[in-house]
């Protein structure tokens, strides 16, 4: 992280601002990650023509580069900016890429949104933007279900982050006994774990 006028001679107004290693200010990064998420959500809703798929892939590549910018920003500084701007799922996911981010910081950012969180395109985009270090990494559905009552939010975000890598190792009887909210989530088109049984 840098905040020197010398490090950004073409933008002297940013003197004293917290900048990423690549010279981006935090408000710029906030705007970029949210604009990218809005574009991706629009492509998902529109049915994704071949041209749109190619554009979405380019956005995905750009997102990888942007995530690297967060590795030079202190988590607490990013959290303060997100609190001031208004907490979002995308902002919460990006906490996971910040320098010195802790699990407590990452999940506190998500918990701010938990009560009003729909399982929509933005939720799935945010989950897929998470640093894998902060997610459950089990590969069997039963292992995720065991977290339902103790760590439900982390379970949902982890399932949404990589649904195609999870094996449905539960019987139809076990699946039918799941809480309705969880069963609906597992049947969601973006997850579709139950649909693969």
């Amino acid at each position: 992280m840098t905040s020197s006028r010398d490090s950004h001679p073409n933008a002297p107004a940013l003197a004293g601002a917290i900048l990423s290693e690549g010279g981006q200010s935090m408000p710029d990064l906030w705007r970029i990650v949210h604009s990218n998420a809005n574009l991706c959500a629009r492509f998902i809703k529109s049915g994704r023509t071949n041209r749109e798929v190619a554009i979405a892939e380019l956005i995905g590549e750009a997102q990888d580069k942007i995530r690297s910018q967060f590795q030079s920003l202190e988590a607490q500084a990013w959290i303060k900016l997100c609190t001031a701007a208004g907490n979002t799922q995308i902002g919460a996911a990006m906490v996971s890429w910040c320098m010195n981010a802790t699990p407590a910081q990452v999940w506190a950012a998500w918990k701010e949104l938990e009560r009003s969180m729909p399982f929509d395109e933005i939720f799935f985009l945010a989950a897929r933007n998470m640093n894998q270090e902060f997610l459950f990494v089990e590969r069997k559905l039963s292992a995720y279900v065991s977290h339902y009552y103790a760590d439900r939010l982390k379970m949902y975000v982890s399932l949404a982050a990589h649904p195609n890598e999870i094996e449905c190792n539960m019987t139809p009887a076990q699946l039918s006994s799941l809480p309705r909210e969880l069963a609906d989530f597992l049947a969601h088109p973006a997850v579709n774990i139950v649909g693969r049984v």
Side-chain angles (χ1 to χ4, degrees):
M1 173 170 57
T2 174
S3 61
S4 163
R5 179 179 276 118
D6 297 335
S7 66
H8 220 46
N10 295 328
L14 292 177
I18 296 172
L19 305 178
S20 70
E21 226 168 65
Q24 294 284 344
S25 72
M26 290 196 303
D28 280 345
L29 287 169
W30 192 96
R31 182 189 52 78
I32 290 166
V33 295
H34 286 84
S35 294
N36 285 354
N38 284 330
L39 278 172
C40 286
R42 197 172 74 218
F43 293 145
I44 291 165
K45 281 183 178 174
S46 69
R48 298 169 66 108
T49 65
N50 286 340
R51 178 175 174 274
E52 287 168 335
V53 168
I55 292 169
E57 286 170 359
L58 284 173
I59 292 169
E61 289 171 21
Q63 198 72 357
D64 289 340
K65 290 180 180 159
I66 290 164
R67 281 194 291 258
S68 71
Q69 296 291 312
F70 282 83
Q71 293 168 6
S72 61
L73 297 174
E74 288 284 348
Q76 194 55 44
W78 178 253
I79 290 166
K80 285 180 181 176
L81 177 115
C82 288
T83 300
N87 290 307
T88 67
Q89 295 168 19
I90 299 299
M94 300 316 289
V95 174
S96 70
W97 293 99
C98 290
M99 181 170 52
N100 302 324
T102 66
Q105 288 173 314
V106 171
W107 295 108
W110 276 96
K111 280 183 170 56
E112 288 285 324
L113 305 156
E114 187 172 15
R115 275 188 223 121
S116 61
M117 189 162 54
F119 297 131
D120 60 7
E121 294 86 0
I122 295 299
F123 169 80
F124 288 101
L125 287 168
R128 289 169 189 162
N129 259 309
M130 281 286 291
N131 184 333
Q132 301 295 305
E133 288 179 28
F134 295 96
L135 299 175
F136 292 130
V137 294
E138 287 93 341
R139 292 295 176 246
K140 294 188 185 296
L141 180 58
S142 60
Y144 282 92
V145 170
S146 70
H147 296 292
Y148 181 75
Y149 291 104
D151 211 344
R152 186 177 308 184
L153 178 61
K154 185 175 179 181
M155 180 210 66
Y156 279 132
V157 174
S158 298
L159 280 167
H162 44 71
N164 295 328
E165 300 168 24
I166 298 164
E167 174 193 344
C168 184
N169 65 331
M170 298 176 69
T171 67
Q174 289 171 320
L175 290 170
S176 68
S177 70
L178 293 175
R180 171 58 43 207
E181 176 191 81
L182 177 55
D184 290 347
F185 181 81
L186 295 174
H188 190 288
V191 179
N192 198 29
I193 292 173
V194 171
R196 299 200 305 265
V197 176

